Amino acid sequence: MLPKKRFSVRRLPGFAVIAIACFTLLYAPIMILVVYSFNAGSSIAVWEGFSWQWYSAAWDNEMVQSATFNSLVIAIQASLYATVLATMAALGTTRTKPYRGQTAIYTMINQPLMVPEIVTAVALLICFAVIKQLTDYQGLMYLVIAHTAFCIPFAYLPIRARLEGMDRALETAAADLYATPWRSFRQVTLPLMWPGILAGSMLAFVISLDDVVITEFVKSAGQDTLPTYMLGQLRRVITPEMHAISTVLLVVSVVIVSVIFILNRSKN
Amino acid sequence: MGSTVATSVIDVSKTFGQDKDQVTALDRVSVDIRENEFFTLLGPSGCGKTTLLRLIAGFEHPSGGKILLHGEEISHLPPFKRPVNTVFQSYALFPHITVSENIGFGLSMQDKPANEIKETVAAMLKLVQMESLADRRTDQISGGQQQRVALARALAPHPKVLLLDEPLSALDYKLRKEMQIELKTLQHETGITFIFVTHDQEEALTMSDRVAVMNQGRILQVGTPKEIYDHPAERFVADFIGDTNFLAADLNQSDNGRMMVTLPGGRTVETTQSDFPGAGKVNITIRPEQASLINGPSAADLSGTINNVVYSGNDTHVHVMLESDEPFVVRVQNRGAQSAQWESGQAVGIKLEPGSVQVLQD
């Protein structure tokens, strides 16, 4: 008996055309951005030959340096804190006996994915304004806290997925083989959830690095991150320096996303 | 001599859920498992056998009753404080460490010295013939090999009791047969008490010193495989283990004090059983291989008409409709022409072997 031919969307007329159009729309602007970051001239539309000059210009720009520094300080701290909190949340929602309100907790953890970012931004702005008045503290911690908050669900989801995919019998077996709950966690659960933790933290890092809206609202004067600095520059004059910074950000993101992909593939 | 009790289960109950949704998994179960014994918990799925195993391991805690290990109560101890190890149905091997590290896991959690761990792991690898794969990861070995590693891992800390939760169910038929023999040998060699859970009656009869037949959260009968097979106490036990015939009969005490069973059709046979439900209407069971077919009703214990002859390789199952309108199956060995002479529609007599009539409690 011949196997029944399965329906394939690929055989629909126009499928290839639509697919190519979509990919072009997605990637052509990015390719143009990357190409023009190597432009020798200062025009963003006329190609005048290959050069690294905009990369070195960006590298030497003190404003860019300070914005990059801020971005990294915030992203590293926020992704670290968010990952620790997300790991605890993931353990609390998968490794406990089912309790009332578990779904509510789950929804609350993922709140930043559902509430419009602008609402969170305004809320944080108001909240931090009050604290600023009371404490007189003006530092980067506000941004770190804000970023930690919206990074939690991004770190939480891969960690939770990893824990849910793990055979519960493994932890039972560890307990059966004389491992106390702590040693069972250290020797079995943690090593097995580690790829999820790494993936979660990297995702959080990329999300933090990329944020504009909340940062723009929460930052004080002189606390520009790379994205908000770029936004500020674009309002004045666009030079290929922006292209160069964007390209670097793109490369960093692609590398991190690739690492996450590889980590997730090593699951089995 | 060999009668020291390894594990006592005393009046243990286990319920899951609350109020309306409450499910009773075990209902006041009591059983003594002897030291150095291959003990099997046998029953259909959902009968509570795995729950009982998990209670002994400490993964669940009893709702009532207690569990003793060598006379000491362990019901309240967490699993990591019980000198009992488990071979899981899914094996539950740790995927992030090697075969050797898996086997040594229990010992290292007990903080045994490194050289002792090394020695024991080497001995265990030898015992289950896995020396050549010691440094493999557990996802790089076959199902049968994983099974051996799971066994070695559970045996390495030398537990007082080894619990096995349907460990052979994932293996194919041939490998399962091999492992049955191997497990039995291993139990003899190590001298560890094995508590084995299975739903496979053949497996239970082949491997066990004693079997407990369970159904609906209760233990119905405990005995050697022969006792369980030859003298099932209840209808469920007789039916679950092997093929059998059920008949309605009368039980009476004769003048000289012997217990006589009156079969359908009027013949009486003596029973030497000592556990009686009391005189009157009873159910009896007779194994198909303990009856034989004869021509004519004169010397027969039962008589009827053949309505089906089913050939099944080394024997033939002859289905007879008795005059009392009850079906009865006789198993005839396929030697020479013995089975060829029986055909549908033929009137036959059935002769029972002495002692083949088993009176049931229910």
Side-chain angles (χ1 to χ4, degrees), chain B residues 207-226:
Chain B
M207 302 168 74
S208 324
D209 294 321
R210 286 195 307 153
V211 180
V213 183
M214 295 185 71
N215 191 34
Q216 297 185 331
R218 294 190 307 121
I219 291 182
L220 304 181
Q221 190 173 0
V222 182
T224 64
K226 195 166 161 50

Side-chain angles (χ1 to χ4, degrees), chain A residues 153-173:
Chain A
F154 293 97
Y156 172 77
L157 290 174
I159 299 172
R160 181 191 159 99
R162 184 84 195 174
L163 276 172
E164 284 190 330
M166 200 188 296
D167 182 4
R168 291 299 299 270
L170 294 175
E171 284 147 330
T172 312

Side-chain angles (χ1 to χ4, degrees), chain B residues 58-164:
Chain B
F59 308 142
E60 313 275 356
H61 293 278
S63 316
K66 29 184 197 176
I67 296 166
L68 308 185
L69 190 74
H70 290 279
E72 256 175 79
E73 178 160 8
I74 55 163
S75 326
H76 57 282
L77 293 177
F80 56 88
K81 286 190 180 156
R82 299 187 187 201
V84 165
N85 293 134
T86 309
V87 178
F88 293 85
Q89 188 169 14
S90 63
Y91 311 146
L93 298 177
F94 304 125
H96 59 297
I97 53 180
T98 63
V99 165
S100 292
E101 288 165 334
N102 262 281
I103 297 174
F105 189 88
L107 295 165
S108 85
M109 288 302 114
Q110 288 177 312
D111 295 314
K112 297 277 192 227
N115 57 337
E116 188 191 323
I117 297 178
K118 216 175 140 192
E119 273 170 35
T120 313
V121 169
M124 283 299 145
L125 283 167
K126 194 160 183 287
L127 186 71
V128 296
Q129 298 151 40
M130 291 285 295
E131 291 116 310
S132 57
L133 300 172
D135 297 323
R136 289 280 188 91
R137 292 218 343 211
T138 55
D139 50 8
Q140 297 167 324
I141 57 177
S142 74
Q145 290 164 339
Q146 288 180 5
Q147 157 81 75
R148 286 160 196 273
V149 176
L151 201 59
R153 185 181 69 174
L155 282 171
H158 207 85
K160 291 194 170 149
V161 174
L162 186 74
L163 308 173
L164 303 105

Side-chain angles (χ1 to χ4, degrees), chain B residues 37-59:
Chain B
E37 179 174 49
F38 199 119
F39 191 89
T40 299
L41 298 170
L42 173 68
S45 61
C47 72
K49 57 190 191 298
T50 297
T51 305
L52 182 54
L53 199 78
R54 291 176 66 84
L55 286 171
I56 298 172
F59 308 142

Side-chain angles (χ1 to χ4, degrees), chain B residues 40-44 47 49 196-202 204-205 211-215 228 236 240-241:
Chain B
T40 299
L41 298 170
L42 173 68
C47 72
K49 57 190 191 298
F196 187 89
V197 159
T198 186
H199 63 267
D200 182 336
Q201 45 107 0
E202 194 193 322
L205 296 182
V211 180
V213 183
M214 295 185 71
N215 191 34
I228 299 271
F236 180 86
F240 191 73
I241 297 168

